[in-house]
Amino acid sequence: MKAILFLILSIVFMNSCELENTLNYPNFDNLDFLKDSSPIEDSILEQFNGIYNITSEKNIFGKIAVIKASSNYLSFFCEANGSYIIVKGGIKDSLLKFEGYWRLSATTNTGKFTFEIPFSSLLSNFKNGKLDSNFTFVGFASTPNGKEEKFTFTFNKSINNSSKHLLIIAHRGGGRNSDYLPYSENSIELMKYSNLLGANSIEIDVQNSKDNIPFIYHDSFFSTRLIRGEFLVGSTSNFTLNQIKTFGMLKYGEKIPTLDEALRAVVFETSLELVWVDCKTSSVVKGTVEIINKYTNIADDIGRKVQICLGIPSDEVFSQFKLIENYKNINSICELSVDKVLDINSIAFGPSWTIGLLKNESEVIRKNDKQLFVWTLDEGLFIDKYLKSGLYDGIVTNYPSVVAFYYYTKYDN
Amino acid sequence: MIIKKEIRFLVTLLLLILSMGNKAFSQNDSIIFASRSYYFALYLNAGYSSDMDSVAKRMDRTGLALSTRIMLSSKHPFSLGVELAYLNISHYKEKNVNTQFGITDIDNKLNCLPLLFIVNYKMFNFDVSGGYGPVYINSQINAFGEISQSSEWDYALMFSLGYNFKIIDNLSLNVTFKYLNIPPLFKELLSLQAGILLKLFEI
């Protein structure tokens, strides 16, 4: 009987702790604190841009934060624990009100964050196009133990808006599923959200369907790590696009996007500066190039400045790319070697960080008017080291908020 | 608490082995060395399986289940062996379904073929078993005028409780209740099967 009891207990144990997939993020379309408020004009929100000192009894966010505004939202990229805060703004009764959440990137810790400021306080401290050092506001963060902690933010200095700035390239459209972001990796929703996380560019992955339609997906096979879909198992190229989209969805319920849908969203609904379309298989190169050319032309026509580049991660993709007519005129990022970058006239060399700082290669890259990117940097120490070297034009990361913090506080000269 | 499923299975399996091993050595060490009579036990079963996921109401989650198991047994209560099975996971058949790509007939199937290494504990007429091993998953989507087939290898864990009714010396009737878990797919199947148990090749 002990054996039977043990088996029953084992089954109970196995089913007692389900893997949690999502954190409790606020619904930005229905925030209590912003009820009956009106949207804040971008020009007013942008007055918040800057580097702030944080004072608090708790050291959750560290002592420094960068605040960046984007349409109706403020993002705080903080010093400690890879922490960031994203709040939506509204104005009501001459009060600027903000509600959102804080998050520690490398853990699942998160909570509500709110603050409000009299509009007159912002106006009286905004002189000669920038805030003065008297500008202070107090935010309240709810912690997992149910308490509310107070954080005082004091303006320190402005962010330099240097013309040649770093490309902060969010991996997989903003981050991985394992980072527990509000949206699935490689979803259109995450691509549109990536700027709030600190990115100004994205890397996305493209696979081929059975009917040769490029769609956004990382792995060469379907799995519950990335999708929900009863009948989608095995290779991604075993099913037609209609079947994939009808019987599958991304991890958190979003539609599996085609490359066409993703680039349309990027061009028309974001201000992203560069899209690195990583070709995961050689069979998808031709279709991907056609769509990249289509949206490059559309962006040019409407005056939208965005570079859409084919990522070349393998020799197979490289060889396939060279079979395409006028391949030297197509924007590409080659991960293989400097020689191959020059051979196919890529705009950038994009090696892995694991091969170290490439001082010699960077000289050749500069001499040939190319760019140097590195992937995928997530650790603060390494991010700092690579930024300090001054060799790189872009960094691919799962934690764009961490790169943004280091860049804007130390290297944005 | 977040615990990866894979870790949970490994911990469970380890506890199971330790528990069974402890029981065997504490009670039956004399049998282990005294017994010289070995034989193969062949189980042939058929029945129904049912996917425990009931979220997707439109799918038929019951279906045919077949299994054959061969065990190297002795007088010792523990025996080892392998089991090959076929289980239907789900089936979705519907005509004139309205999708974003137009109206289509759908006939989708998802089946699995687990090949499991089995540890069995015999208690009176009961068989209590645990199994672990690879599972071949096969999917077919028939929609939009296109039949697409795909497959993959995963791993599975199985527990079963069976009862044997002896008919003659080497033949019994067997009824078995099985729980199969395929962690990579988050699939849990329950299966009720009946069949025969044959005693073969006594050594």
Short mmCIF file of all heavy atoms in Angstrom, two decimals, chain A residues 1 4 6-7 10-11 13-15 17-20 210 222 224 230-235 238-240 242-243 245-247, chain B residues 2 8-9 12 15-16 59 61 90 101 108 110 123 128 139 141 143-144 146-148 150-152 157 159 179 184 186-188:
data_model
loop_
_atom_site.label_atom_id
_atom_site.label_comp_id
_atom_site.label_asym_id
_atom_site.label_seq_id
_atom_site.Cartn_x
_atom_site.Cartn_y
_atom_site.Cartn_z
N MET A 1 0.83 -1.22 0.00
CA MET A 1 0.00 0.00 0.00
C MET A 1 0.86 1.27 0.00
O MET A 1 0.44 2.30 -0.52
CB MET A 1 -0.89 0.00 1.26
CG MET A 1 -2.05 -0.96 1.17
SD MET A 1 -3.01 -0.83 -0.35
CE MET A 1 -3.85 0.72 -0.09
N ILE A 4 1.53 2.39 -3.52
CA ILE A 4 0.38 3.06 -4.15
C ILE A 4 0.25 4.48 -3.63
O ILE A 4 0.08 5.43 -4.39
CB ILE A 4 -0.92 2.26 -3.89
CG1 ILE A 4 -0.85 0.92 -4.59
CG2 ILE A 4 -2.14 3.04 -4.36
CD1 ILE A 4 -1.98 -0.02 -4.25
N PHE A 6 2.58 6.28 -2.42
CA PHE A 6 3.69 7.08 -2.94
C PHE A 6 3.40 7.55 -4.37
O PHE A 6 3.66 8.69 -4.73
CB PHE A 6 4.98 6.26 -2.91
CG PHE A 6 6.17 7.08 -3.32
CD1 PHE A 6 6.80 7.89 -2.40
CD2 PHE A 6 6.62 7.08 -4.63
CE1 PHE A 6 7.87 8.68 -2.78
CE2 PHE A 6 7.68 7.86 -5.01
CZ PHE A 6 8.31 8.66 -4.07
N LEU A 7 2.82 6.64 -5.16
CA LEU A 7 2.50 7.01 -6.54
C LEU A 7 1.48 8.14 -6.57
O LEU A 7 1.62 9.10 -7.34
CB LEU A 7 1.95 5.80 -7.30
CG LEU A 7 2.98 4.77 -7.72
CD1 LEU A 7 2.31 3.57 -8.34
CD2 LEU A 7 3.96 5.39 -8.72
N SER A 10 3.12 11.27 -5.62
CA SER A 10 3.99 11.75 -6.70
C SER A 10 3.20 12.51 -7.74
O SER A 10 3.61 13.57 -8.21
CB SER A 10 4.68 10.56 -7.38
OG SER A 10 5.44 9.86 -6.45
N ILE A 11 2.04 11.94 -8.11
CA ILE A 11 1.21 12.60 -9.12
C ILE A 11 0.71 13.95 -8.61
O ILE A 11 0.75 14.96 -9.31
CB ILE A 11 0.03 11.70 -9.52
CG1 ILE A 11 0.57 10.47 -10.27
CG2 ILE A 11 -0.95 12.44 -10.42
CD1 ILE A 11 -0.45 9.38 -10.48
N PHE A 13 2.20 15.79 -6.40
CA PHE A 13 3.36 16.68 -6.36
C PHE A 13 3.63 17.27 -7.75
O PHE A 13 3.86 18.45 -7.91
CB PHE A 13 4.58 15.90 -5.86
CG PHE A 13 5.88 16.64 -6.04
CD1 PHE A 13 6.16 17.74 -5.25
CD2 PHE A 13 6.80 16.25 -6.97
CE1 PHE A 13 7.35 18.43 -5.40
CE2 PHE A 13 7.99 16.92 -7.14
CZ PHE A 13 8.26 18.02 -6.35
N MET A 14 3.55 16.39 -8.75
CA MET A 14 3.85 16.85 -10.10
C MET A 14 2.88 17.90 -10.58
O MET A 14 3.21 18.76 -11.38
CB MET A 14 3.83 15.68 -11.08
CG MET A 14 5.09 14.87 -11.03
SD MET A 14 5.13 13.71 -12.37
CE MET A 14 3.64 12.83 -12.10
N ASN A 15 1.65 17.81 -10.12
CA ASN A 15 0.63 18.74 -10.60
C ASN A 15 0.40 19.92 -9.66
O ASN A 15 -0.45 20.75 -9.92
CB ASN A 15 -0.67 18.00 -10.83
CG ASN A 15 -0.56 17.11 -12.03
OD1 ASN A 15 -0.55 17.56 -13.15
ND2 ASN A 15 -0.42 15.83 -11.79
N CYS A 17 2.64 22.30 -8.74
CA CYS A 17 3.40 23.51 -9.02
C CYS A 17 3.47 23.73 -10.52
O CYS A 17 4.43 23.32 -11.15
CB CYS A 17 4.81 23.42 -8.45
SG CYS A 17 4.89 22.91 -6.76
N GLU A 18 2.49 24.35 -11.08
CA GLU A 18 2.52 24.62 -12.51
C GLU A 18 3.50 25.75 -12.80
O GLU A 18 3.63 26.68 -12.03
CB GLU A 18 1.13 25.01 -13.01
CG GLU A 18 0.20 23.83 -13.20
CD GLU A 18 0.70 22.84 -14.23
OE1 GLU A 18 1.26 23.26 -15.26
OE2 GLU A 18 0.56 21.63 -13.98
N LEU A 19 4.15 25.66 -13.95
CA LEU A 19 5.06 26.72 -14.36
C LEU A 19 4.27 27.98 -14.67
O LEU A 19 3.37 27.97 -15.49
CB LEU A 19 5.82 26.26 -15.61
CG LEU A 19 6.87 27.19 -16.17
CD1 LEU A 19 8.03 27.30 -15.20
CD2 LEU A 19 7.35 26.70 -17.51
N GLU A 20 4.59 29.05 -13.97
CA GLU A 20 3.88 30.30 -14.21
C GLU A 20 4.44 30.98 -15.44
O GLU A 20 5.64 31.06 -15.62
CB GLU A 20 4.04 31.22 -13.00
CG GLU A 20 3.24 30.75 -11.81
CD GLU A 20 3.48 31.62 -10.59
OE1 GLU A 20 3.91 32.77 -10.77
OE2 GLU A 20 3.24 31.14 -9.49
N LYS A 210 5.49 25.94 -44.96
CA LYS A 210 5.48 24.94 -46.03
C LYS A 210 5.21 25.59 -47.39
O LYS A 210 5.75 25.15 -48.40
CB LYS A 210 4.39 23.92 -45.70
CG LYS A 210 4.31 22.72 -46.60
CD LYS A 210 3.18 21.81 -46.10
CE LYS A 210 2.95 20.62 -46.98
NZ LYS A 210 1.81 19.81 -46.49
N PHE A 222 8.20 23.70 -33.68
CA PHE A 222 7.20 24.24 -32.76
C PHE A 222 7.35 23.60 -31.39
O PHE A 222 7.66 22.41 -31.29
CB PHE A 222 5.79 23.97 -33.30
CG PHE A 222 5.45 24.81 -34.51
CD1 PHE A 222 5.26 24.21 -35.74
CD2 PHE A 222 5.33 26.18 -34.41
CE1 PHE A 222 4.95 24.98 -36.85
CE2 PHE A 222 5.03 26.96 -35.50
CZ PHE A 222 4.84 26.35 -36.74
N THR A 224 5.99 24.14 -26.95
CA THR A 224 5.19 24.89 -25.98
C THR A 224 5.98 26.04 -25.35
O THR A 224 5.41 26.88 -24.67
CB THR A 224 4.66 23.96 -24.88
OG1 THR A 224 5.75 23.19 -24.37
CG2 THR A 224 3.59 23.03 -25.42
N GLU A 230 -2.49 23.01 -30.43
CA GLU A 230 -2.70 21.58 -30.21
C GLU A 230 -1.97 20.70 -31.24
O GLU A 230 -1.31 19.75 -30.89
CB GLU A 230 -4.20 21.31 -30.26
CG GLU A 230 -4.60 19.87 -30.04
CD GLU A 230 -4.63 19.50 -28.57
OE1 GLU A 230 -4.45 20.39 -27.72
OE2 GLU A 230 -4.83 18.31 -28.29
N PHE A 231 -2.08 21.08 -32.51
CA PHE A 231 -1.60 20.17 -33.55
C PHE A 231 -0.27 20.61 -34.15
O PHE A 231 0.22 19.96 -35.07
CB PHE A 231 -2.66 20.04 -34.65
CG PHE A 231 -3.96 19.50 -34.12
CD1 PHE A 231 -5.01 20.35 -33.83
CD2 PHE A 231 -4.12 18.15 -33.86
CE1 PHE A 231 -6.20 19.87 -33.32
CE2 PHE A 231 -5.31 17.65 -33.35
CZ PHE A 231 -6.36 18.51 -33.07
N LEU A 232 0.30 21.70 -33.67
CA LEU A 232 1.57 22.17 -34.22
C LEU A 232 2.72 21.53 -33.45
O LEU A 232 3.08 21.97 -32.35
CB LEU A 232 1.65 23.70 -34.14
CG LEU A 232 0.64 24.47 -35.01
CD1 LEU A 232 0.82 25.97 -34.85
CD2 LEU A 232 0.74 24.08 -36.48
N VAL A 233 3.27 20.48 -34.06
CA VAL A 233 4.46 19.83 -33.49
C VAL A 233 5.46 19.64 -34.62
O VAL A 233 5.10 19.63 -35.79
CB VAL A 233 4.13 18.46 -32.83
CG1 VAL A 233 3.15 18.63 -31.69
CG2 VAL A 233 3.59 17.48 -33.85
N GLY A 234 6.72 19.48 -34.26
CA GLY A 234 7.76 19.21 -35.26
C GLY A 234 8.20 20.46 -36.00
O GLY A 234 8.04 21.59 -35.51
N SER A 235 8.74 20.26 -37.20
CA SER A 235 9.36 21.34 -37.96
C SER A 235 8.36 22.42 -38.36
O SER A 235 7.23 22.14 -38.74
CB SER A 235 10.00 20.75 -39.22
OG SER A 235 10.42 21.78 -40.07
N ASN A 238 6.69 22.27 -41.86
CA ASN A 238 5.77 21.17 -42.21
C ASN A 238 4.33 21.65 -42.41
O ASN A 238 3.48 20.87 -42.84
CB ASN A 238 5.77 20.10 -41.11
CG ASN A 238 7.02 19.25 -41.16
OD1 ASN A 238 7.71 19.24 -42.17
ND2 ASN A 238 7.31 18.55 -40.08
N PHE A 239 4.04 22.91 -42.05
CA PHE A 239 2.66 23.40 -42.12
C PHE A 239 2.58 24.66 -42.96
O PHE A 239 3.52 25.46 -42.99
CB PHE A 239 2.14 23.73 -40.71
CG PHE A 239 2.15 22.54 -39.78
CD1 PHE A 239 3.17 22.37 -38.85
CD2 PHE A 239 1.15 21.58 -39.85
CE1 PHE A 239 3.19 21.28 -38.00
CE2 PHE A 239 1.16 20.48 -39.00
CZ PHE A 239 2.18 20.33 -38.09
N THR A 240 1.42 24.84 -43.61
CA THR A 240 1.22 26.06 -44.39
C THR A 240 0.94 27.22 -43.44
O THR A 240 0.56 27.00 -42.28
CB THR A 240 0.02 25.91 -45.36
OG1 THR A 240 -1.17 25.78 -44.59
CG2 THR A 240 0.19 24.73 -46.29
N ASN A 242 -1.51 29.37 -43.41
CA ASN A 242 -2.91 29.38 -42.95
C ASN A 242 -3.11 28.41 -41.80
O ASN A 242 -3.82 28.70 -40.84
CB ASN A 242 -3.86 29.01 -44.09
CG ASN A 242 -3.98 30.10 -45.13
OD1 ASN A 242 -3.35 31.14 -44.99
ND2 ASN A 242 -4.76 29.87 -46.16
N GLN A 243 -2.51 27.25 -41.91
CA GLN A 243 -2.64 26.24 -40.85
C GLN A 243 -1.94 26.72 -39.57
O GLN A 243 -2.48 26.57 -38.47
CB GLN A 243 -2.05 24.91 -41.32
CG GLN A 243 -2.87 24.26 -42.44
CD GLN A 243 -2.20 23.05 -43.05
OE1 GLN A 243 -0.98 22.88 -42.97
NE2 GLN A 243 -3.00 22.19 -43.68
N LYS A 245 -1.36 29.83 -38.61
CA LYS A 245 -2.08 30.94 -37.98
C LYS A 245 -3.45 30.54 -37.44
O LYS A 245 -3.94 31.12 -36.47
CB LYS A 245 -2.21 32.10 -38.98
CG LYS A 245 -0.88 32.83 -39.19
CD LYS A 245 -1.00 33.94 -40.21
CE LYS A 245 -1.53 35.23 -39.66
NZ LYS A 245 -0.56 36.07 -38.99
N THR A 246 -4.06 29.52 -38.06
CA THR A 246 -5.38 29.08 -37.60
C THR A 246 -5.28 28.19 -36.35
O THR A 246 -6.11 28.30 -35.45
CB THR A 246 -6.11 28.32 -38.73
OG1 THR A 246 -6.20 29.17 -39.86
CG2 THR A 246 -7.51 27.90 -38.30
N PHE A 247 -4.27 27.35 -36.32
CA PHE A 247 -4.20 26.37 -35.21
C PHE A 247 -3.13 26.70 -34.18
O PHE A 247 -2.89 25.90 -33.27
CB PHE A 247 -3.98 24.96 -35.78
CG PHE A 247 -5.10 24.54 -36.69
CD1 PHE A 247 -4.90 24.44 -38.05
CD2 PHE A 247 -6.36 24.29 -36.18
CE1 PHE A 247 -5.94 24.09 -38.90
CE2 PHE A 247 -7.41 23.93 -37.02
CZ PHE A 247 -7.21 23.83 -38.39
N ILE B 2 7.72 28.66 -8.55
CA ILE B 2 7.96 28.23 -9.92
C ILE B 2 8.97 27.09 -9.91
O ILE B 2 10.09 27.25 -9.49
CB ILE B 2 8.49 29.39 -10.77
CG1 ILE B 2 7.42 30.47 -10.84
CG2 ILE B 2 8.87 28.93 -12.15
CD1 ILE B 2 7.91 31.74 -11.46
N ARG B 8 10.88 18.68 -11.67
CA ARG B 8 9.91 17.98 -10.84
C ARG B 8 9.86 16.49 -11.19
O ARG B 8 9.81 15.63 -10.33
CB ARG B 8 8.51 18.59 -11.04
CG ARG B 8 8.36 19.99 -10.51
CD ARG B 8 6.92 20.27 -10.12
NE ARG B 8 5.98 19.88 -11.13
CZ ARG B 8 5.52 20.72 -12.07
NH1 ARG B 8 5.97 21.94 -12.13
NH2 ARG B 8 4.60 20.32 -12.92
N PHE B 9 9.92 16.19 -12.49
CA PHE B 9 9.86 14.79 -12.90
C PHE B 9 11.10 14.03 -12.44
O PHE B 9 11.00 12.90 -11.97
CB PHE B 9 9.73 14.69 -14.43
CG PHE B 9 8.33 14.97 -14.88
CD1 PHE B 9 8.08 16.01 -15.74
CD2 PHE B 9 7.27 14.21 -14.42
CE1 PHE B 9 6.79 16.29 -16.15
CE2 PHE B 9 5.98 14.49 -14.83
CZ PHE B 9 5.74 15.53 -15.69
N THR B 12 10.78 13.44 -8.77
CA THR B 12 9.77 12.43 -8.51
C THR B 12 10.30 11.04 -8.83
O THR B 12 10.13 10.08 -8.07
CB THR B 12 8.52 12.72 -9.39
OG1 THR B 12 8.11 14.03 -9.14
CG2 THR B 12 7.40 11.76 -9.05
N LEU B 15 12.78 9.91 -6.24
CA LEU B 15 12.10 9.50 -5.01
C LEU B 15 11.43 8.15 -5.19
O LEU B 15 11.46 7.29 -4.29
CB LEU B 15 11.04 10.55 -4.62
CG LEU B 15 11.58 11.89 -4.12
CD1 LEU B 15 10.46 12.89 -3.99
CD2 LEU B 15 12.30 11.71 -2.79
N LEU B 16 10.86 7.94 -6.35
CA LEU B 16 10.17 6.68 -6.63
C LEU B 16 11.15 5.51 -6.59
O LEU B 16 10.91 4.49 -5.95
CB LEU B 16 9.52 6.78 -8.01
CG LEU B 16 8.74 5.58 -8.48
CD1 LEU B 16 7.51 5.39 -7.61
CD2 LEU B 16 8.31 5.75 -9.93
N MET B 59 -12.76 19.85 -29.35
CA MET B 59 -11.97 18.69 -29.77
C MET B 59 -12.42 17.42 -29.08
O MET B 59 -12.84 17.44 -27.92
CB MET B 59 -10.50 18.94 -29.44
CG MET B 59 -9.91 19.99 -30.33
SD MET B 59 -8.20 20.22 -29.94
CE MET B 59 -7.94 21.84 -30.62
N ARG B 61 -11.38 14.44 -27.24
CA ARG B 61 -10.16 14.12 -26.51
C ARG B 61 -10.13 12.69 -25.98
O ARG B 61 -9.36 12.35 -25.11
CB ARG B 61 -9.95 15.11 -25.37
CG ARG B 61 -9.72 16.51 -25.90
CD ARG B 61 -9.29 17.47 -24.86
NE ARG B 61 -8.89 18.71 -25.48
CZ ARG B 61 -7.69 18.95 -26.00
NH1 ARG B 61 -6.77 18.02 -25.93
NH2 ARG B 61 -7.41 20.10 -26.55
N SER B 90 -5.79 13.79 -29.32
CA SER B 90 -6.98 14.58 -29.64
C SER B 90 -7.31 14.47 -31.12
O SER B 90 -6.46 14.10 -31.95
CB SER B 90 -6.78 16.05 -29.24
OG SER B 90 -5.69 16.58 -29.92
N PHE B 101 -9.14 32.91 -42.88
CA PHE B 101 -8.72 32.64 -44.26
C PHE B 101 -9.85 32.03 -45.09
O PHE B 101 -9.62 31.49 -46.16
CB PHE B 101 -7.50 31.72 -44.27
CG PHE B 101 -6.36 32.25 -43.46
CD1 PHE B 101 -6.03 31.71 -42.23
CD2 PHE B 101 -5.61 33.33 -43.92
CE1 PHE B 101 -5.00 32.22 -41.47
CE2 PHE B 101 -4.57 33.85 -43.17
CZ PHE B 101 -4.26 33.29 -41.93
N ASN B 108 -8.21 17.19 -38.03
CA ASN B 108 -6.88 17.16 -37.43
C ASN B 108 -6.76 16.02 -36.42
O ASN B 108 -7.72 15.72 -35.71
CB ASN B 108 -6.58 18.48 -36.70
CG ASN B 108 -6.57 19.67 -37.63
OD1 ASN B 108 -6.60 19.51 -38.84
ND2 ASN B 108 -6.52 20.86 -37.06
N LEU B 110 -3.97 14.14 -33.45
CA LEU B 110 -2.71 14.14 -32.71
C LEU B 110 -2.61 12.83 -31.92
O LEU B 110 -3.50 12.52 -31.12
CB LEU B 110 -2.66 15.34 -31.75
CG LEU B 110 -1.34 15.55 -31.00
CD1 LEU B 110 -0.24 15.97 -31.97
CD2 LEU B 110 -1.48 16.63 -29.93
N MET B 123 1.93 -6.90 -6.26
CA MET B 123 1.39 -6.96 -4.91
C MET B 123 0.06 -7.72 -4.99
O MET B 123 -0.91 -7.22 -5.57
CB MET B 123 1.15 -5.54 -4.41
CG MET B 123 1.41 -5.37 -2.96
SD MET B 123 1.47 -3.62 -2.49
CE MET B 123 0.56 -2.77 -3.68
N VAL B 128 1.72 -2.48 -9.88
CA VAL B 128 1.92 -1.03 -9.77
C VAL B 128 3.18 -0.70 -10.56
O VAL B 128 4.26 -1.23 -10.26
CB VAL B 128 2.09 -0.60 -8.30
CG1 VAL B 128 2.29 0.90 -8.21
CG2 VAL B 128 0.90 -1.03 -7.49
N SER B 139 1.40 14.36 -35.69
CA SER B 139 0.29 15.28 -35.89
C SER B 139 -0.10 15.33 -37.36
O SER B 139 0.76 15.23 -38.25
CB SER B 139 0.71 16.68 -35.42
OG SER B 139 -0.21 17.63 -35.87
N ILE B 141 -2.60 17.81 -39.79
CA ILE B 141 -3.58 18.89 -39.97
C ILE B 141 -4.12 18.80 -41.39
O ILE B 141 -3.35 18.82 -42.35
CB ILE B 141 -2.94 20.28 -39.73
CG1 ILE B 141 -2.58 20.45 -38.25
CG2 ILE B 141 -3.89 21.39 -40.17
CD1 ILE B 141 -1.98 21.81 -37.91
N ALA B 143 -6.60 20.86 -43.45
CA ALA B 143 -7.43 22.07 -43.54
C ALA B 143 -6.95 22.92 -44.71
O ALA B 143 -5.79 22.81 -45.12
CB ALA B 143 -7.32 22.88 -42.24
N PHE B 144 -7.84 23.74 -45.22
CA PHE B 144 -7.55 24.61 -46.36
C PHE B 144 -7.06 23.81 -47.58
O PHE B 144 -6.17 24.23 -48.31
CB PHE B 144 -6.52 25.69 -45.98
CG PHE B 144 -6.91 26.48 -44.78
CD1 PHE B 144 -6.30 26.25 -43.55
CD2 PHE B 144 -7.93 27.42 -44.84
CE1 PHE B 144 -6.69 26.96 -42.42
CE2 PHE B 144 -8.33 28.13 -43.72
CZ PHE B 144 -7.70 27.91 -42.50
N GLU B 146 -5.27 21.20 -47.73
CA GLU B 146 -3.88 20.74 -47.64
C GLU B 146 -3.73 19.82 -46.43
O GLU B 146 -4.18 20.16 -45.32
CB GLU B 146 -2.97 21.97 -47.47
CG GLU B 146 -1.51 21.68 -47.32
CD GLU B 146 -0.77 21.64 -48.66
OE1 GLU B 146 -1.27 22.23 -49.63
OE2 GLU B 146 0.29 20.99 -48.71
N ILE B 147 -3.14 18.66 -46.66
CA ILE B 147 -2.86 17.76 -45.54
C ILE B 147 -1.39 17.93 -45.17
O ILE B 147 -0.50 17.71 -46.00
CB ILE B 147 -3.15 16.29 -45.91
CG1 ILE B 147 -4.63 16.12 -46.26
CG2 ILE B 147 -2.77 15.37 -44.75
CD1 ILE B 147 -4.99 14.73 -46.76
N SER B 148 -1.14 18.32 -43.94
CA SER B 148 0.24 18.49 -43.46
C SER B 148 0.49 17.52 -42.32
O SER B 148 -0.32 17.46 -41.38
CB SER B 148 0.46 19.92 -42.97
OG SER B 148 0.23 20.83 -44.01
N SER B 150 3.34 16.05 -39.43
CA SER B 150 4.58 16.41 -38.74
C SER B 150 4.75 15.53 -37.51
O SER B 150 3.77 14.97 -36.99
CB SER B 150 4.52 17.88 -38.32
OG SER B 150 5.78 18.30 -37.85
N SER B 151 5.96 15.42 -37.07
CA SER B 151 6.21 14.57 -35.90
C SER B 151 7.42 15.07 -35.13
O SER B 151 8.21 15.88 -35.65
CB SER B 151 6.45 13.13 -36.34
OG SER B 151 7.53 13.09 -37.23
N GLU B 152 7.54 14.61 -33.91
CA GLU B 152 8.71 14.96 -33.10
C GLU B 152 8.89 13.92 -32.00
O GLU B 152 7.96 13.16 -31.68
CB GLU B 152 8.55 16.35 -32.48
CG GLU B 152 7.44 16.45 -31.44
CD GLU B 152 7.27 17.86 -30.89
OE1 GLU B 152 7.50 18.82 -31.63
OE2 GLU B 152 6.89 17.97 -29.71
N LEU B 157 6.36 10.20 -19.07
CA LEU B 157 6.39 9.53 -17.78
C LEU B 157 5.04 8.84 -17.59
O LEU B 157 4.01 9.42 -17.93
CB LEU B 157 6.57 10.59 -16.71
CG LEU B 157 6.85 10.16 -15.30
CD1 LEU B 157 8.29 9.70 -15.18
CD2 LEU B 157 6.62 11.33 -14.35
N PHE B 159 2.51 6.22 -15.03
CA PHE B 159 2.21 5.41 -13.85
C PHE B 159 0.99 4.56 -14.18
O PHE B 159 0.07 5.04 -14.86
CB PHE B 159 1.89 6.29 -12.64
CG PHE B 159 3.04 7.13 -12.20
CD1 PHE B 159 3.03 8.50 -12.38
CD2 PHE B 159 4.14 6.54 -11.60
CE1 PHE B 159 4.10 9.28 -11.98
CE2 PHE B 159 5.21 7.32 -11.19
CZ PHE B 159 5.19 8.68 -11.38
N TYR B 179 -1.78 6.54 -16.27
CA TYR B 179 -1.62 8.00 -16.34
C TYR B 179 -0.32 8.26 -17.10
O TYR B 179 0.75 7.80 -16.71
CB TYR B 179 -1.53 8.58 -14.93
CG TYR B 179 -1.00 9.99 -14.87
CD1 TYR B 179 -1.85 11.07 -15.09
CD2 TYR B 179 0.34 10.25 -14.60
CE1 TYR B 179 -1.38 12.37 -15.03
CE2 TYR B 179 0.82 11.55 -14.55
CZ TYR B 179 -0.04 12.60 -14.77
OH TYR B 179 0.43 13.89 -14.73
N PRO B 184 6.94 18.03 -22.32
CA PRO B 184 7.19 19.08 -23.31
C PRO B 184 5.92 19.59 -23.98
O PRO B 184 5.88 20.71 -24.48
CB PRO B 184 8.10 18.39 -24.34
CG PRO B 184 8.73 17.27 -23.60
CD PRO B 184 7.68 16.79 -22.64
N PHE B 186 2.93 19.53 -22.31
CA PHE B 186 1.97 19.78 -21.22
C PHE B 186 0.74 18.90 -21.38
O PHE B 186 -0.40 19.34 -21.21
CB PHE B 186 1.55 21.26 -21.16
CG PHE B 186 2.68 22.20 -20.87
CD1 PHE B 186 3.06 23.16 -21.78
CD2 PHE B 186 3.36 22.13 -19.67
CE1 PHE B 186 4.11 24.03 -21.52
CE2 PHE B 186 4.40 22.99 -19.39
CZ PHE B 186 4.77 23.94 -20.32
N LYS B 187 0.96 17.65 -21.75
CA LYS B 187 -0.16 16.73 -21.98
C LYS B 187 -0.21 15.69 -20.88
O LYS B 187 0.81 15.10 -20.51
CB LYS B 187 0.02 16.01 -23.32
CG LYS B 187 -0.26 16.88 -24.52
CD LYS B 187 -1.73 17.13 -24.66
CE LYS B 187 -2.03 18.12 -25.76
NZ LYS B 187 -3.34 18.71 -25.63
N GLU B 188 -1.43 15.46 -20.38
CA GLU B 188 -1.66 14.41 -19.40
C GLU B 188 -2.81 13.55 -19.89
O GLU B 188 -3.91 14.07 -20.15
CB GLU B 188 -2.01 15.01 -18.04
CG GLU B 188 -0.85 15.80 -17.43
CD GLU B 188 -1.27 16.54 -16.18
OE1 GLU B 188 -2.02 17.51 -16.30
OE2 GLU B 188 -0.86 16.12 -15.09
#
